[in-house]
Amino acid sequence: MRDGFYITSAIYYVNDVPHIGHTYEIVACDVLARYHRLAGERVWFLTGTDEHSQNVAKAAEERGLTPQAWTDQILPARREVFAQLLISYDDFIRTSEPRHVDGVQRFLSKLHEGDDVYLGTYEGPYCVSCEEFKAEAELVDGRCPIHLIPVEQLSEENYFFRLSRYQEPLLRLYQEAPEFVGPAVRRNEVVSFVQAGLRDLSISRAAAIWGVPIPWDPSHITYVWVDALLNYATAVGYGEEPERFASIWPADVHMIGKDITRFHAVIWPAMLMAAGVPLPERVFAHGFLTVGGEKMSKSRGTGIAPADLIQRFGVDGLRYAFLREFTFGQDGNFSVESLDARYTSELANGLGNLASRVLAMTDSYFDGLVPEPRSREPGGSLATGAAAMAARYDAGMRAIELHEAAAALDEFVRESNRFVVGVAPWVLAKDPARRQDLADGLYESLEALRLAALFASPIMPGAAERLWGQLGLEGRVIDAHLPDAGTWGGLQPGTPTRRGESLFPRLEE
Ligand code: MSP
């Protein structure tokens, strides 16, 4: 029986140093994984590397290394970036691992036995950077329309997958499960593409040397996209561990960028249908980040290094900005100026300021102890605000409108800051007759901070954990679960709070 939440990111080509476009995706996956854990679900979060590309083989050769030695050498840097970003993946698969290679071979044998594979001849253009067979009509002056590099003209004997057979079943799928491809703009593109008719897909390359050998004909290597897509299944035990596979598969969300939608929303479900494997619930294609309106690229100098941004905004600031700056699913233009402004207004002056002043007043007026309010029932305005935030946040996460979840949190922090100004504890503190009103106002503000920390934790795990500690709460926020932890009144009167370092230091000029 399956009762969990299985989320995957795309697996990354190992050749490039990751730029912020790549980290945008993995942070989005991590936020979703952390939220589903917070909601008490059994989460499995997979990421990894796509290593069998011809570009990897070429780069290795240039360095006089085997592709395996080259990937082994560059992988630690990739994983280091993920560690810096606090990515809480449960498994990291490399397509060069035996568990993957074996799974791919089993899967292909299954397709072969089922008469979904035949030997044919492929003639036509191929872009090495996309690792994709192109149609003549797509080319621009003989070049790949995406990479603007000349394509190779291939003419070789290949094994083909009968993708054309799956046109009708795929159209039925999009019809019956409209959530299968999201957002809607991508779904519409996919439907039109499939309606126009599908060609069979070449799934092997005769010339390649680095990849998974076709099990019944090892002179061929598996086409790298077929190999790569299968990571989602091989990593959770496809073929080798049927019980484990059944307990995790199918994926709830394959998170990908829009450039690779066809592979995931057309080829992948067709492959699974052919092998009799259940289909994933959703493929969600996020937008692309651009810099100055241009595609990010190392060669054009627009590939911003995540490390530079972490240095300026902290990992939490960067993660927050990714979610809050862009409408998830659409493209977004990335600008450091815009991040500066948002960091200052929403983190330094927003959540950071709320925490520092409420904790400072708790120190001054109640010796740092959480005051006893008249009532801990959810009657006040912030309790109502917190419930509204939790509902909007949850809806945003479940609809993969991640910007909505971040906006809900920000809205609640603003409301809490307004509340503090309205209560004006500094005025109440001068009047001993209003001691209980002071206690009520501060209790409500501290409880709002506790809930802000809880709902901030998927987005800003580091800052949320620090705030949780400053509020004197037991354990770690990462171990807290909804709905209990989200219930108003959880903060115990008398708990010693600890003013600490500022959560979001002001930016330097
Ligand atoms: N290896 C393939 C994916 C195989 S999945 C079975 C691949 N790798 S990639 O390293 O080029 O890209 C990894 C992910 O990053 C993809 O989902 C891609 O869409 C995403 N992005 C690459 N550049 C991006 C931006 N500029 N902005 C946002 N996401 C971007 O494709």
PDB file of all heavy atoms in Angstrom, residues 433-461:
ATOM      1  N   ALA A 433      -1.737  49.172  35.418  1.00  0.00           N
ATOM      2  CA  ALA A 433      -3.116  48.673  35.358  1.00  0.00           C
ATOM      3  C   ALA A 433      -3.366  47.848  34.094  1.00  0.00           C
ATOM      4  O   ALA A 433      -4.341  47.112  34.014  1.00  0.00           O
ATOM      5  CB  ALA A 433      -4.092  49.846  35.424  1.00  0.00           C
ATOM      6  N   ARG A 434      -2.487  48.016  33.110  1.00  0.00           N
ATOM      7  CA  ARG A 434      -2.716  47.317  31.830  1.00  0.00           C
ATOM      8  C   ARG A 434      -1.756  46.141  31.633  1.00  0.00           C
ATOM      9  O   ARG A 434      -1.507  45.690  30.521  1.00  0.00           O
ATOM     10  CB  ARG A 434      -2.614  48.322  30.677  1.00  0.00           C
ATOM     11  CG  ARG A 434      -3.642  49.447  30.866  1.00  0.00           C
ATOM     12  CD  ARG A 434      -3.948  50.135  29.579  1.00  0.00           C
ATOM     13  NE  ARG A 434      -4.572  49.223  28.609  1.00  0.00           N
ATOM     14  CZ  ARG A 434      -4.784  49.551  27.343  1.00  0.00           C
ATOM     15  NH1 ARG A 434      -4.421  50.735  26.894  1.00  0.00           N
ATOM     16  NH2 ARG A 434      -5.343  48.690  26.525  1.00  0.00           N
ATOM     17  N   ARG A 435      -1.234  45.658  32.726  1.00  0.00           N
ATOM     18  CA  ARG A 435      -0.268  44.553  32.692  1.00  0.00           C
ATOM     19  C   ARG A 435      -0.827  43.324  31.946  1.00  0.00           C
ATOM     20  O   ARG A 435      -0.136  42.686  31.164  1.00  0.00           O
ATOM     21  CB  ARG A 435       0.085  44.195  34.145  1.00  0.00           C
ATOM     22  CG  ARG A 435       1.150  43.133  34.320  1.00  0.00           C
ATOM     23  CD  ARG A 435       2.536  43.693  34.189  1.00  0.00           C
ATOM     24  NE  ARG A 435       3.522  42.625  34.303  1.00  0.00           N
ATOM     25  CZ  ARG A 435       4.707  42.616  33.714  1.00  0.00           C
ATOM     26  NH1 ARG A 435       5.096  43.650  32.993  1.00  0.00           N
ATOM     27  NH2 ARG A 435       5.545  41.621  33.857  1.00  0.00           N
ATOM     28  N   GLN A 436      -2.107  43.011  32.200  1.00  0.00           N
ATOM     29  CA  GLN A 436      -2.678  41.826  31.545  1.00  0.00           C
ATOM     30  C   GLN A 436      -2.863  42.054  30.034  1.00  0.00           C
ATOM     31  O   GLN A 436      -2.647  41.152  29.237  1.00  0.00           O
ATOM     32  CB  GLN A 436      -4.017  41.444  32.195  1.00  0.00           C
ATOM     33  CG  GLN A 436      -4.582  40.108  31.660  1.00  0.00           C
ATOM     34  CD  GLN A 436      -3.629  38.922  31.876  1.00  0.00           C
ATOM     35  OE1 GLN A 436      -3.170  38.679  32.998  1.00  0.00           O
ATOM     36  NE2 GLN A 436      -3.295  38.209  30.815  1.00  0.00           N
ATOM     37  N   ASP A 437      -3.207  43.277  29.645  1.00  0.00           N
ATOM     38  CA  ASP A 437      -3.324  43.581  28.214  1.00  0.00           C
ATOM     39  C   ASP A 437      -1.963  43.432  27.545  1.00  0.00           C
ATOM     40  O   ASP A 437      -1.847  42.945  26.415  1.00  0.00           O
ATOM     41  CB  ASP A 437      -3.832  45.018  27.999  1.00  0.00           C
ATOM     42  CG  ASP A 437      -5.281  45.164  28.446  1.00  0.00           C
ATOM     43  OD1 ASP A 437      -6.000  44.140  28.471  1.00  0.00           O
ATOM     44  OD2 ASP A 437      -5.676  46.296  28.788  1.00  0.00           O
ATOM     45  N   LEU A 438      -0.932  43.866  28.259  1.00  0.00           N
ATOM     46  CA  LEU A 438       0.439  43.736  27.741  1.00  0.00           C
ATOM     47  C   LEU A 438       0.780  42.251  27.546  1.00  0.00           C
ATOM     48  O   LEU A 438       1.318  41.845  26.504  1.00  0.00           O
ATOM     49  CB  LEU A 438       1.417  44.395  28.718  1.00  0.00           C
ATOM     50  CG  LEU A 438       2.906  44.278  28.391  1.00  0.00           C
ATOM     51  CD1 LEU A 438       3.224  45.011  27.083  1.00  0.00           C
ATOM     52  CD2 LEU A 438       3.759  44.876  29.525  1.00  0.00           C
ATOM     53  N   ALA A 439       0.440  41.443  28.542  1.00  0.00           N
ATOM     54  CA  ALA A 439       0.716  40.003  28.463  1.00  0.00           C
ATOM     55  C   ALA A 439      -0.048  39.388  27.283  1.00  0.00           C
ATOM     56  O   ALA A 439       0.504  38.594  26.504  1.00  0.00           O
ATOM     57  CB  ALA A 439       0.319  39.319  29.771  1.00  0.00           C
ATOM     58  N   ASP A 440      -1.299  39.778  27.116  1.00  0.00           N
ATOM     59  CA  ASP A 440      -2.105  39.235  26.008  1.00  0.00           C
ATOM     60  C   ASP A 440      -1.483  39.586  24.653  1.00  0.00           C
ATOM     61  O   ASP A 440      -1.352  38.732  23.771  1.00  0.00           O
ATOM     62  CB  ASP A 440      -3.535  39.807  26.055  1.00  0.00           C
ATOM     63  CG  ASP A 440      -4.348  39.231  27.214  1.00  0.00           C
ATOM     64  OD1 ASP A 440      -3.849  38.300  27.890  1.00  0.00           O
ATOM     65  OD2 ASP A 440      -5.466  39.723  27.448  1.00  0.00           O
ATOM     66  N   GLY A 441      -1.128  40.850  24.511  1.00  0.00           N
ATOM     67  CA  GLY A 441      -0.579  41.315  23.230  1.00  0.00           C
ATOM     68  C   GLY A 441       0.737  40.633  22.904  1.00  0.00           C
ATOM     69  O   GLY A 441       0.984  40.222  21.759  1.00  0.00           O
ATOM     70  N   LEU A 442       1.581  40.490  23.902  1.00  0.00           N
ATOM     71  CA  LEU A 442       2.879  39.856  23.627  1.00  0.00           C
ATOM     72  C   LEU A 442       2.723  38.352  23.395  1.00  0.00           C
ATOM     73  O   LEU A 442       3.404  37.773  22.551  1.00  0.00           O
ATOM     74  CB  LEU A 442       3.869  40.106  24.761  1.00  0.00           C
ATOM     75  CG  LEU A 442       4.680  41.387  24.619  1.00  0.00           C
ATOM     76  CD1 LEU A 442       5.738  41.467  25.712  1.00  0.00           C
ATOM     77  CD2 LEU A 442       5.378  41.455  23.251  1.00  0.00           C
ATOM     78  N   TYR A 443       1.814  37.736  24.161  1.00  0.00           N
ATOM     79  CA  TYR A 443       1.600  36.304  23.934  1.00  0.00           C
ATOM     80  C   TYR A 443       1.152  36.070  22.495  1.00  0.00           C
ATOM     81  O   TYR A 443       1.671  35.205  21.795  1.00  0.00           O
ATOM     82  CB  TYR A 443       0.562  35.712  24.905  1.00  0.00           C
ATOM     83  CG  TYR A 443       0.416  34.219  24.661  1.00  0.00           C
ATOM     84  CD1 TYR A 443       1.290  33.325  25.273  1.00  0.00           C
ATOM     85  CD2 TYR A 443      -0.521  33.725  23.750  1.00  0.00           C
ATOM     86  CE1 TYR A 443       1.217  31.960  24.997  1.00  0.00           C
ATOM     87  CE2 TYR A 443      -0.602  32.366  23.463  1.00  0.00           C
ATOM     88  CZ  TYR A 443       0.267  31.485  24.090  1.00  0.00           C
ATOM     89  OH  TYR A 443       0.219  30.147  23.800  1.00  0.00           O
ATOM     90  N   GLU A 444       0.217  36.886  22.052  1.00  0.00           N
ATOM     91  CA  GLU A 444      -0.308  36.716  20.693  1.00  0.00           C
ATOM     92  C   GLU A 444       0.804  36.923  19.658  1.00  0.00           C
ATOM     93  O   GLU A 444       0.907  36.187  18.672  1.00  0.00           O
ATOM     94  CB  GLU A 444      -1.458  37.712  20.478  1.00  0.00           C
ATOM     95  CG  GLU A 444      -2.508  37.182  19.516  1.00  0.00           C
ATOM     96  CD  GLU A 444      -3.794  38.027  19.471  1.00  0.00           C
ATOM     97  OE1 GLU A 444      -4.173  38.603  20.518  1.00  0.00           O
ATOM     98  OE2 GLU A 444      -4.391  38.091  18.387  1.00  0.00           O
ATOM     99  N   SER A 445       1.660  37.901  19.902  1.00  0.00           N
ATOM    100  CA  SER A 445       2.761  38.169  18.960  1.00  0.00           C
ATOM    101  C   SER A 445       3.767  37.021  18.952  1.00  0.00           C
ATOM    102  O   SER A 445       4.286  36.638  17.898  1.00  0.00           O
ATOM    103  CB  SER A 445       3.494  39.450  19.352  1.00  0.00           C
ATOM    104  OG  SER A 445       2.582  40.492  19.557  1.00  0.00           O
ATOM    105  N   LEU A 446       4.049  36.483  20.130  1.00  0.00           N
ATOM    106  CA  LEU A 446       5.010  35.367  20.205  1.00  0.00           C
ATOM    107  C   LEU A 446       4.431  34.121  19.537  1.00  0.00           C
ATOM    108  O   LEU A 446       5.131  33.383  18.839  1.00  0.00           O
ATOM    109  CB  LEU A 446       5.346  35.056  21.673  1.00  0.00           C
ATOM    110  CG  LEU A 446       6.296  36.051  22.347  1.00  0.00           C
ATOM    111  CD1 LEU A 446       6.220  35.924  23.870  1.00  0.00           C
ATOM    112  CD2 LEU A 446       7.737  35.831  21.865  1.00  0.00           C
ATOM    113  N   GLU A 447       3.153  33.898  19.731  1.00  0.00           N
ATOM    114  CA  GLU A 447       2.511  32.733  19.121  1.00  0.00           C
ATOM    115  C   GLU A 447       2.486  32.897  17.590  1.00  0.00           C
ATOM    116  O   GLU A 447       2.683  31.935  16.853  1.00  0.00           O
ATOM    117  CB  GLU A 447       1.105  32.565  19.708  1.00  0.00           C
ATOM    118  CG  GLU A 447       0.300  31.389  19.174  1.00  0.00           C
ATOM    119  CD  GLU A 447       0.905  30.010  19.426  1.00  0.00           C
ATOM    120  OE1 GLU A 447       1.949  29.887  20.110  1.00  0.00           O
ATOM    121  OE2 GLU A 447       0.348  29.030  18.902  1.00  0.00           O
ATOM    122  N   ALA A 448       2.290  34.121  17.138  1.00  0.00           N
ATOM    123  CA  ALA A 448       2.341  34.379  15.694  1.00  0.00           C
ATOM    124  C   ALA A 448       3.742  34.060  15.165  1.00  0.00           C
ATOM    125  O   ALA A 448       3.906  33.483  14.086  1.00  0.00           O
ATOM    126  CB  ALA A 448       1.975  35.826  15.396  1.00  0.00           C
ATOM    127  N   LEU A 449       4.754  34.410  15.946  1.00  0.00           N
ATOM    128  CA  LEU A 449       6.135  34.108  15.532  1.00  0.00           C
ATOM    129  C   LEU A 449       6.360  32.604  15.454  1.00  0.00           C
ATOM    130  O   LEU A 449       7.040  32.100  14.558  1.00  0.00           O
ATOM    131  CB  LEU A 449       7.131  34.688  16.541  1.00  0.00           C
ATOM    132  CG  LEU A 449       7.631  36.091  16.302  1.00  0.00           C
ATOM    133  CD1 LEU A 449       8.591  36.473  17.428  1.00  0.00           C
ATOM    134  CD2 LEU A 449       8.345  36.208  14.946  1.00  0.00           C
ATOM    135  N   ARG A 450       5.787  31.880  16.424  1.00  0.00           N
ATOM    136  CA  ARG A 450       5.949  30.421  16.407  1.00  0.00           C
ATOM    137  C   ARG A 450       5.342  29.852  15.113  1.00  0.00           C
ATOM    138  O   ARG A 450       5.959  29.015  14.428  1.00  0.00           O
ATOM    139  CB  ARG A 450       5.253  29.790  17.621  1.00  0.00           C
ATOM    140  CG  ARG A 450       5.494  28.279  17.731  1.00  0.00           C
ATOM    141  CD  ARG A 450       4.731  27.662  18.901  1.00  0.00           C
ATOM    142  NE  ARG A 450       3.295  27.636  18.659  1.00  0.00           N
ATOM    143  CZ  ARG A 450       2.651  26.671  17.991  1.00  0.00           C
ATOM    144  NH1 ARG A 450       3.328  25.650  17.493  1.00  0.00           N
ATOM    145  NH2 ARG A 450       1.345  26.736  17.812  1.00  0.00           N
ATOM    146  N   LEU A 451       4.157  30.326  14.752  1.00  0.00           N
ATOM    147  CA  LEU A 451       3.524  29.798  13.539  1.00  0.00           C
ATOM    148  C   LEU A 451       4.252  30.279  12.288  1.00  0.00           C
ATOM    149  O   LEU A 451       4.345  29.552  11.294  1.00  0.00           O
ATOM    150  CB  LEU A 451       2.044  30.173  13.519  1.00  0.00           C
ATOM    151  CG  LEU A 451       1.259  29.421  14.599  1.00  0.00           C
ATOM    152  CD1 LEU A 451      -0.146  29.960  14.738  1.00  0.00           C
ATOM    153  CD2 LEU A 451       1.219  27.920  14.307  1.00  0.00           C
ATOM    154  N   ALA A 452       4.811  31.483  12.350  1.00  0.00           N
ATOM    155  CA  ALA A 452       5.602  31.956  11.209  1.00  0.00           C
ATOM    156  C   ALA A 452       6.827  31.061  11.039  1.00  0.00           C
ATOM    157  O   ALA A 452       7.185  30.680   9.919  1.00  0.00           O
ATOM    158  CB  ALA A 452       6.016  33.408  11.417  1.00  0.00           C
ATOM    159  N   ALA A 453       7.455  30.680  12.145  1.00  0.00           N
ATOM    160  CA  ALA A 453       8.631  29.790  12.058  1.00  0.00           C
ATOM    161  C   ALA A 453       8.224  28.442  11.464  1.00  0.00           C
ATOM    162  O   ALA A 453       8.912  27.887  10.601  1.00  0.00           O
ATOM    163  CB  ALA A 453       9.248  29.584  13.444  1.00  0.00           C
ATOM    164  N   LEU A 454       7.085  27.946  11.907  1.00  0.00           N
ATOM    165  CA  LEU A 454       6.619  26.638  11.430  1.00  0.00           C
ATOM    166  C   LEU A 454       6.394  26.651   9.914  1.00  0.00           C
ATOM    167  O   LEU A 454       6.871  25.785   9.186  1.00  0.00           O
ATOM    168  CB  LEU A 454       5.319  26.289  12.154  1.00  0.00           C
ATOM    169  CG  LEU A 454       4.780  24.883  11.959  1.00  0.00           C
ATOM    170  CD1 LEU A 454       5.687  23.869  12.651  1.00  0.00           C
ATOM    171  CD2 LEU A 454       3.358  24.766  12.520  1.00  0.00           C
ATOM    172  N   PHE A 455       5.680  27.677   9.444  1.00  0.00           N
ATOM    173  CA  PHE A 455       5.374  27.727   8.009  1.00  0.00           C
ATOM    174  C   PHE A 455       6.541  28.264   7.188  1.00  0.00           C
ATOM    175  O   PHE A 455       6.592  28.070   5.974  1.00  0.00           O
ATOM    176  CB  PHE A 455       4.076  28.508   7.765  1.00  0.00           C
ATOM    177  CG  PHE A 455       2.867  27.696   8.135  1.00  0.00           C
ATOM    178  CD1 PHE A 455       2.330  27.748   9.412  1.00  0.00           C
ATOM    179  CD2 PHE A 455       2.301  26.820   7.217  1.00  0.00           C
ATOM    180  CE1 PHE A 455       1.233  26.964   9.767  1.00  0.00           C
ATOM    181  CE2 PHE A 455       1.205  26.033   7.560  1.00  0.00           C
ATOM    182  CZ  PHE A 455       0.664  26.101   8.842  1.00  0.00           C
ATOM    183  N   ALA A 456       7.478  28.906   7.838  1.00  0.00           N
ATOM    184  CA  ALA A 456       8.691  29.314   7.119  1.00  0.00           C
ATOM    185  C   ALA A 456       9.618  28.118   6.932  1.00  0.00           C
ATOM    186  O   ALA A 456      10.475  28.124   6.046  1.00  0.00           O
ATOM    187  CB  ALA A 456       9.422  30.412   7.886  1.00  0.00           C
ATOM    188  N   SER A 457       9.449  27.087   7.745  1.00  0.00           N
ATOM    189  CA  SER A 457      10.468  26.026   7.769  1.00  0.00           C
ATOM    190  C   SER A 457      10.678  25.296   6.435  1.00  0.00           C
ATOM    191  O   SER A 457      11.814  24.971   6.114  1.00  0.00           O
ATOM    192  CB  SER A 457      10.219  25.047   8.918  1.00  0.00           C
ATOM    193  OG  SER A 457       9.031  24.327   8.709  1.00  0.00           O
ATOM    194  N   PRO A 458       9.648  25.050   5.618  1.00  0.00           N
ATOM    195  CA  PRO A 458       9.960  24.424   4.331  1.00  0.00           C
ATOM    196  C   PRO A 458      10.758  25.347   3.407  1.00  0.00           C
ATOM    197  O   PRO A 458      11.577  24.898   2.615  1.00  0.00           O
ATOM    198  CB  PRO A 458       8.574  24.136   3.730  1.00  0.00           C
ATOM    199  CG  PRO A 458       7.648  24.086   4.900  1.00  0.00           C
ATOM    200  CD  PRO A 458       8.192  25.120   5.849  1.00  0.00           C
ATOM    201  N   ILE A 459      10.507  26.652   3.529  1.00  0.00           N
ATOM    202  CA  ILE A 459      11.127  27.608   2.604  1.00  0.00           C
ATOM    203  C   ILE A 459      12.495  28.047   3.124  1.00  0.00           C
ATOM    204  O   ILE A 459      13.463  28.114   2.374  1.00  0.00           O
ATOM    205  CB  ILE A 459      10.202  28.841   2.425  1.00  0.00           C
ATOM    206  CG1 ILE A 459       8.808  28.388   1.956  1.00  0.00           C
ATOM    207  CG2 ILE A 459      10.807  29.831   1.443  1.00  0.00           C
ATOM    208  CD1 ILE A 459       7.770  29.501   1.890  1.00  0.00           C
ATOM    209  N   MET A 460      12.550  28.349   4.417  1.00  0.00           N
ATOM    210  CA  MET A 460      13.795  28.852   5.023  1.00  0.00           C
ATOM    211  C   MET A 460      14.157  27.985   6.222  1.00  0.00           C
ATOM    212  O   MET A 460      13.997  28.402   7.381  1.00  0.00           O
ATOM    213  CB  MET A 460      13.601  30.311   5.462  1.00  0.00           C
ATOM    214  CG  MET A 460      13.273  31.221   4.293  1.00  0.00           C
ATOM    215  SD  MET A 460      13.124  32.953   4.763  1.00  0.00           S
ATOM    216  CE  MET A 460      11.448  32.994   5.385  1.00  0.00           C
ATOM    217  N   PRO A 461      14.649  26.771   5.954  1.00  0.00           N
ATOM    218  CA  PRO A 461      14.839  25.832   7.060  1.00  0.00           C
ATOM    219  C   PRO A 461      15.842  26.316   8.109  1.00  0.00           C
ATOM    220  O   PRO A 461      15.651  26.050   9.299  1.00  0.00           O
ATOM    221  CB  PRO A 461      15.346  24.555   6.383  1.00  0.00           C
ATOM    222  CG  PRO A 461      15.517  24.847   4.942  1.00  0.00           C
ATOM    223  CD  PRO A 461      15.001  26.214   4.644  1.00  0.00           C
TER     224      PRO A 461
END
